[in-house]
Amino acid sequence: QVQLVESGGGLVQPGGSLRLSCAASGIIFNWLAMAWYRQAPGKQRELVASITSGSGGRTNYADSVKGRFTISRDNAKNTVYLQMNSLKPEDTAVYYCRGDYSGSEYWGQGTQVTVSS
């Protein structure tokens, strides 16, 4: 059974930083293309960042987070990260980790990020 588990969310002040982690199990991690999504109350889930499978993955970011967020992966640890800097209140959302391979997709349970003073 493939499982993705997010961690690292919490409460942070505007301008602060958080690093989210997503640990995968039950699948060869290198096979998974990974992404972070977020969903704020009353809004649809949106793609935040993605990284391709394997080593040296290509990355892509939503315009709203470019220059502030960085997605990376450590294949030896079966983990994908989202480094979030210069956080804004509008970044407040539940952040979800997604992996996909060969037509299947897998989702974590989400971790809450709240940016507030």
Side-chain angles (χ1 to χ4, degrees):
Q1 184 85 301
V2 177
Q3 187 173 12
L4 304 179
V5 180
E6 301 99 334
S7 62
L11 175 64
V12 65
Q13 293 185 338
S17 298
L18 284 173
R19 188 177 75 160
L20 306 183
S21 299
C22 173
S25 61
I27 193 170
I28 298 177
F29 184 69
N30 285 8
W31 294 354
L32 289 173
M34 302 297 298
W36 288 95
Y37 288 73
R38 67 186 181 188
Q39 187 168 22
K43 297 182 63 178
Q44 293 188 336
R45 188 171 298 185
E46 64 175 346
L47 176 64
V48 175
S50 63
I51 186 166
T52 54
S53 61
S55 60
R58 300 182 299 277
T59 59
N60 191 55
Y61 299 93
D63 288 341
S64 59
V65 306
K66 285 180 179 177
R68 299 189 298 120
F69 290 10
T70 302
I71 188 171
S72 62
R73 64 192 297 157
D74 186 339
N75 292 332
K77 299 184 69 173
N78 294 347
T79 301
V80 65
Y81 303 95
L82 184 67
Q83 178 66 47
M84 305 184 294
N85 299 325
S86 301
L87 283 162
K88 305 174 181 179
E90 64 197 72
D91 296 318
T92 296
V94 178
Y95 284 71
Y96 297 91
C97 176
R98 180 184 67 87
D100 70 275
Y101 171 72
S102 190
S104 298
E105 65 176 6
Y106 311 95
W107 290 89
Q109 290 295 111
T111 185
Q112 176 71 49
V113 172
T114 302
V115 184
S116 176
S117 59

